[in-house]
Amino acid sequence: DIVMTQSPLSLPVTPGEPASISCRSSQSLLQSNGYNYLDWYLQKPGQSPQLLIYLGSNRASGVPDRFSGIGSGTDFTLNISRVEAEDVGLYYCMQTLQTPHSFGQGTKLEIK
Amino acid sequence: QVQLQESGPGLVKPSQTLSLTCTVSGGSISSGSYFWSWIRQPAGKGLEWIGRISTSGTTNYNPSLKSRLTISIDSSKNQFSLNLTSVTAADTAVYYCARVRSGGYDYWGQGALVTVSS
């Protein structure tokens, strides 16, 4: 099974400042078709997870352009260019290259 | 707009079977190249992938649950279901259903809390 490791697990950020979350996989998520099977989700307090980024770097519909995903192979990063109060919650990376699909432990973003 | 809604008992006794149904609205469960999945989250903990089913009924299960797990699909009712046998307190969690496309889990239900207790 593929193990996903996120860091940091806690991320206090001042509004307007940038933020980054790292995600590493125990094996490459790059398939021969050129796609990295890595997604990012945000779970706001009391809500279901929502898709932010799919296939490594593609923003989901309706996701603000301050969110971006980069990386390939085993190392990925979610960047938020300017954090807003509505961005608080738990951020998860998830691999969908092979079953069982698996999530990182989650990174809790909070506002300073 | 596609919507998913979990339903089922909120309380299950130890050793019994946990059964949940996910009803899909706003689109046909059998159209498109989608999988339909179950994910769970114990209180205060992270997300755990349970398994998925294709529109043709092909399943993939988490090996940690495989011996107790059945996921099925009923296209006539636009529903898919989860059965987990021989439950223990460790199965207490919020259970989510979700639609899976080639790029991400794009629609999620609101979640159903299931407590395993006598």
Side-chain angles (χ1 to χ4, degrees):
Chain A
D1 296 0
I2 298 176
V3 177
M4 307 299 293
T5 304
Q6 290 181 229
S7 63
L9 299 184
S10 179
L11 184 57
V13 185
T14 300
E17 293 296 305
S20 291
I21 300 171
S22 173
C23 177
R24 286 189 171 178
S25 56
S26 60
Q27 61 189 78
S28 176
L29 302 182
L30 178 62
Q31 202 175 52
S32 55
N33 60 9
Y35 291 110
N36 285 282
Y37 284 77
L38 186 285
D39 306 322
W40 290 97
Y41 296 85
L42 165 60
Q43 186 176 31
K44 295 183 177 182
Q47 296 186 16
S48 307
Q50 59 187 85
L51 179 65
L52 292 177
I53 303 289
Y54 63 94
L55 296 175
S57 61
N58 299 277
R59 265 190 308 276
S61 176
V63 174
D65 61 7
R66 64 179 181 275
F67 291 93
S68 62
I70 61 172
S72 184
T74 62
D75 290 288
F76 300 89
T77 302
L78 176 70
N79 291 314
I80 310 173
S81 59
R82 295 173 305 280
V83 170
E84 298 187 4
E86 66 180 19
D87 300 336
V88 297
L90 282 161
Y91 289 79
Y92 294 93
C93 62
M94 179 188 190
Q95 68 82 19
T96 59
L97 179 69
Q98 63 182 227
T99 60
H101 293 173
S102 48
F103 295 89
Q105 317 97 300
T107 295
K108 186 174 184 179
L109 186 148
E110 59 182 22
I111 297 296
K112 282 184 181 177
Chain B
Q1 179 79 340
V2 173
Q3 293 184 314
L4 289 81
Q5 178 69 59
E6 305 88 351
S7 59
L11 181 64
V12 181
K13 288 182 167 52
S15 79
Q16 294 191 343
T17 297
L18 183 160
S19 296
L20 291 172
T21 296
C22 183
T23 300
V24 179
S25 59
S28 171
I29 200 171
S30 54
S31 68
S33 301
Y34 301 115
F35 281 85
W36 303 89
S37 184
W38 289 97
I39 302 99
R40 70 181 182 179
Q41 184 174 37
K45 296 190 177 181
L47 299 164
E48 179 183 24
W49 188 81
I50 296 173
R52 68 177 186 179
I53 189 166
S54 71
T55 54
S56 62
T58 301
T59 54
N60 300 104
Y61 296 151
N62 192 319
S64 66
L65 299 170
K66 188 174 183 176
S67 63
R68 301 190 290 129
L69 181 63
T70 302
I71 296 176
S72 58
I73 192 166
D74 187 339
S75 298
S76 67
K77 294 182 179 179
N78 235 33
Q79 296 175 334
F80 63 107
S81 299
L82 163 75
N83 272 10
L84 186 65
T85 63
S86 305
V87 297
T88 69
D91 296 309
T92 294
V94 174
Y95 286 75
Y96 296 101
C97 58
R99 189 180 83 168
V100 191
R101 56 176 200 189
S102 58
Y105 286 55
D106 59 350
Y107 289 100
W108 294 65
Q110 65 183 27
L113 173 62
V114 179
T115 301
V116 178
S117 175
S118 55

